[in-house]
Amino acid sequence: AVLLVGSVSAYFTDQDEKTNTFTVGKVTIDLEEPEWDKKPDENGNDIPDEAENMTPNQTIEKDPQVKNTGTNDAFVYMTVEVPCKKIVTVNNDGTRNPEAVRELYTYQTDSSWKLLGSVDVTDETGEKTAVKHLYAYAGAQGTCTVVKPQETTKNLFLAASALKIPGQAAVVKIMALQIFSADLIRFSVICHKF
């Protein structure tokens, strides 16, 4: 038996090259409160004097909104974390309600924001200290709405009312989040509180 071994050789006689450059966009946001930021703040602690000296059932202007300062479309969300305390409340007719853990502030959201859910916040002992509410910006369509670069959402709410107990400080935390509208991978977080 004879074994034949052959080989094939090939030579590149031409070549061409292209360089592909990809730039990842930028999604950034600002949590703004234009009217809130104009309020007097005598002690310079970034909390308007009106909010430091609230009385029960007092309502103050508060106007959180989100501006897309990036270069890409974004879906925008906000969380509002409202402190809770075990208290007795009184109805307008003077009758008392039983003692219960209640949120210390209330607010009425704009219809352009949709509540996605709420979760209790607890301390290390398991005691409920706050409720965190998550909202999605839905615009007039009622579904998650893209916020284009340099656009600003409507206000989440325009005022907050206190149920708080006089003399005790309570902080409401407001957080804005955004996600690339195209791929829902990246997000940023900005926080405010009062």
Side-chain angles (χ1 to χ4, degrees), residues 51-121:
E52 291 180 313
N53 300 308
M54 290 181 74
T55 58
N57 299 319
Q58 178 184 354
T59 299
I60 60 170
E61 288 182 51
K62 182 110 175 105
D63 56 343
Q65 61 188 28
V66 180
K67 181 175 184 177
N68 180 352
T69 57
T71 58
N72 292 83
D73 295 350
F75 290 117
V76 176
Y77 304 85
M78 273 203 246
T79 63
V80 180
E81 186 174 316
V82 182
C84 295
K85 191 158 187 83
K86 187 181 275 191
I87 58 172
V88 174
T89 57
V90 179
N91 298 316
N92 290 336
D93 65 3
T95 58
R96 293 170 48 113
N97 295 310
E99 184 177 59
V101 176
R102 301 185 194 283
E103 293 183 39
L104 301 180
Y105 293 89
T106 60
Y107 54 91
Q108 181 66 44
T109 58
D110 185 89
S111 63
S112 62
W113 289 89
K114 299 298 176 204
L115 178 65
L116 298 179
S118 299
V119 63
D120 290 345
V121 178

Side-chain angles (χ1 to χ4, degrees), residues 38-53:
K38 293 178 189 175
K39 293 180 179 289
D41 178 19
E42 293 291 324
N43 60 7
N45 66 352
D46 294 328
I47 300 172
D49 301 331
E50 177 184 14
E52 291 180 313
N53 300 308

Side-chain angles (χ1 to χ4, degrees), residues 8-188:
V8 176
S9 296
Y11 294 97
F12 292 110
T13 58
D14 193 15
Q15 73 180 33
D16 193 8
E17 182 178 302
K18 294 222 183 235
T19 301
N20 293 300
T21 303
F22 299 93
T23 303
V24 176
K26 182 179 178 185
V27 178
T28 56
I29 54 172
D30 285 334
L31 177 55
E32 303 175 334
E33 296 183 280
E35 296 305 314
W36 177 261
D37 292 339
K38 293 178 189 175
K39 293 180 179 289
D41 178 19
E42 293 291 324
N43 60 7
N45 66 352
D46 294 328
I47 300 172
D49 301 331
E50 177 184 14
E52 291 180 313
N53 300 308
M54 290 181 74
T55 58
N57 299 319
Q58 178 184 354
T59 299
I60 60 170
E61 288 182 51
K62 182 110 175 105
D63 56 343
Q65 61 188 28
V66 180
K67 181 175 184 177
N68 180 352
T69 57
T71 58
N72 292 83
D73 295 350
F75 290 117
V76 176
Y77 304 85
M78 273 203 246
T79 63
V80 180
E81 186 174 316
V82 182
C84 295
K85 191 158 187 83
K86 187 181 275 191
I87 58 172
V88 174
T89 57
V90 179
N91 298 316
N92 290 336
D93 65 3
T95 58
R96 293 170 48 113
N97 295 310
E99 184 177 59
V101 176
R102 301 185 194 283
E103 293 183 39
L104 301 180
Y105 293 89
T106 60
Y107 54 91
Q108 181 66 44
T109 58
D110 185 89
S111 63
S112 62
W113 289 89
K114 299 298 176 204
L115 178 65
L116 298 179
S118 299
V119 63
D120 290 345
V121 178
T122 57
D123 64 14
E124 60 280 347
T125 67
E127 184 176 330
K128 181 177 170 180
T129 58
V131 177
K132 185 181 284 189
H133 306 283
L134 173 63
Y135 298 91
Y137 185 64
Q141 297 86 346
T143 58
C144 271
T145 300
V146 167
V147 179
K148 300 252 182 236
Q150 304 310 309
E151 283 184 350
T152 302
T153 65
K154 289 189 174 184
N155 301 94
L156 176 60
F157 52 86
L158 294 173
S161 298
L163 299 178
K164 77 177 214 172
I165 302 163
Q168 293 188 4
V171 175
V172 175
K173 297 176 187 172
I174 301 173
M175 183 183 303
L177 306 106
Q178 53 81 35
I179 300 173
F180 275 120
S181 66
D183 56 24
L184 301 180
I185 291 176
R186 179 182 164 144
F187 70 92
S188 296

